[in-house]
Amino acid sequence: AASLGWVDDSLATSRVAQSINFVATTTVWVYAWWGGLMGRRAAMSPFPEGDSLLTVGFKRLYKTCVRIYKNHRALASFYPAIAFSESATQALLVIGQTYSIELLQFSSAETGIFLLILLIFSSIGCYLSPLSLHLLSPIQSNQLCLFFLGLFTAGAAGFVKDAGQKVLFYVFAIFWGACGGWKYTIERYLTCTIIPKGQDAELMGLYLFSGQVLTWLPPLVFAAMNEAGVSIRISMLSLLLFWFIAIVCLQCMGSYDKVIREANDGTDEARTESPNCERDDVVREEELGNEESKIDAADRVCEICQR
């Protein structure tokens, strides 16, 4: 609404946005429910006798964490990488708005344009993921994406200094949006390929949890530095530390081929332990290391993200 000049008041803009969000979300969920898109599906594993719904989840989570630490060291490095990278990327949206309003004196309409640029170019950035797989492994592609996020953030903090440079800030928003789309696509593709079969829902849940567990930390660091009198431009650079830690964690995963072999070993182990191994015996791609299959899978993930 602010981008189109319909509303000048920030509070009214928020109300319009929340109203549209509520109507759109409710419509989609009602259609999915009544339209039969959410059909019944068999349980992935039987409910253990003697357990309750209050405790079985915690017990399973504990066993999963122990199994990851012992048998899937790559996942033990991947989840912290997600925690740090996702917290910084989500904080970039909030900190970027604060930076634009406090330093560049953005109006509500200009802030709306900033967010619109991020949204549009994040969709375009999804296509960078399959393109990067022509030259790099998914782990290296993820690292390169985080490097560019840090580079453009440092560039914005270094070159965008006053209200006369609003257009330049929009240019950096283009790069941020493109890197954001690239990041989310390659991370989901990487997650889907390194998770042992038969533990998909459980380990994907850990992936989603990892992406939220530290989201409070970068804004807290930024606010603490700002309240201490540190320049907002320097405070913005605090995000680089989180992306750097994520890059180091990804490096600790090792080679992508080794991670795939580890996932396949975990698949065999999970099938042996599962009482429903016949139903869970789904054939994976014969050669996950084949470059063509990697790119095709990334294209499918890209289409899902676009939708």
Side-chain angles (χ1 to χ4, degrees):
S3 301
L4 299 175
W6 295 345
V7 183
D8 294 326
D9 182 57
S10 298
L11 179 59
T13 302
S14 300
R15 289 172 176 169
V16 171
Q18 290 296 333
S19 299
I20 294 175
N21 181 52
F22 173 77
V23 172
T25 304
T26 303
T27 302
V28 171
W29 279 106
V30 169
Y31 172 75
W33 180 267
W34 291 101
L37 299 182
M38 296 183 179
R40 292 182 176 273
R41 57 172 296 180
M44 294 296 293
S45 59
F47 189 81
E49 296 183 5
D51 279 332
S52 68
L53 288 174
L54 296 176
T55 60
V56 67
F58 293 103
K59 292 180 179 179
R60 185 67 182 269
L61 180 61
Y62 172 76
K63 293 178 180 179
T64 299
C65 292
V66 172
R67 186 165 59 249
I68 288 175
Y69 179 76
K70 290 182 177 180
N71 304 321
H72 306 291
R73 291 301 181 93
L75 286 176
S77 298
F78 177 66
Y79 286 131
I82 294 299
F84 283 99
S85 66
E86 184 66 12
S87 64
T89 304
Q90 290 190 25
L92 178 62
L93 179 63
V94 178
I95 294 175
Q97 291 183 72
T98 304
Y99 191 92
S100 64
I101 294 172
E102 294 295 326
L103 190 63
L104 307 181
Q105 304 299 312
F106 268 29
S107 65
S108 58
E110 290 170 328
T111 301
I113 294 173
F114 166 69
L115 297 176
L116 187 62
I117 290 174
L118 288 177
L119 178 62
I120 293 174
F121 282 90
S122 64
S123 300
I124 297 175
C126 292
Y127 292 100
L128 294 175
S129 174
L131 290 176
S132 67
L133 293 182
H134 286 281
L135 300 174
L136 304 169
S137 72
I139 296 176
Q140 293 170 333
S141 176
N142 200 351
Q143 289 176 309
L144 184 61
C145 174
L146 297 180
F147 170 78
F148 279 130
L149 272 173
L151 180 64
F152 295 136
T153 300
F159 294 106
V160 182
K161 304 175 182 179
D162 53 55
Q165 297 176 301
K166 294 181 179 180
V167 175
L168 182 58
F169 193 73
Y170 288 143
V171 173
F172 280 107
I174 292 174
F175 293 132
W176 282 330
C179 289
W182 178 4
K183 172 185 179 295
Y184 288 119
T185 307
I186 196 63
E187 281 182 354
R188 280 156 178 75
Y189 168 69
L190 183 57
T191 304
C192 292
T193 56
I194 68 175
I195 286 180
K197 197 66 179 178
Q199 305 173 62
D200 308 66
E202 185 178 13
L203 296 183
M204 182 57 77
L206 276 179
Y207 165 76
L208 297 175
F209 171 77
S210 299
Q212 300 296 321
V213 68
L214 290 181
T215 52
W216 55 273
L217 187 54
L220 178 62
V221 173
F222 175 82
M225 294 177 67
N226 198 37
E227 291 297 320
V230 179
S231 169
I232 192 173
R233 295 168 61 197
I234 298 177
S235 300
M236 191 175 184
L237 293 177
S238 63
L239 296 177
L240 272 63
L241 175 62
F242 294 88
W243 285 317
F244 174 76
I245 295 174
I247 291 174
V248 172
C249 290
L250 289 171
Q251 186 65 30
C252 293
M253 291 178 64
S255 69
Y256 181 65
D257 292 335
K258 178 182 176 182
V259 174
I260 290 298
R261 288 195 299 270
E262 186 179 278
N264 290 335
D265 293 341
T267 297
D268 295 336
E269 177 186 345
R271 287 175 181 170
T272 302
E273 295 176 354
S274 173
N276 298 318
C277 57
E278 292 184 1
R279 179 173 54 81
D280 292 336
D281 188 20
V282 179
V283 179
R284 297 174 70 92
E285 292 179 341
E286 291 184 359
E287 293 184 7
L288 289 173
N290 184 281
E291 287 299 324
E292 196 172 306
S293 65
K294 292 179 188 177
I295 296 169
D296 290 342
D299 287 336
R300 292 195 297 271
V301 175
C302 183
E303 287 182 17
I304 294 172
C305 291
Q306 285 292 328
R307 291 172 185 170

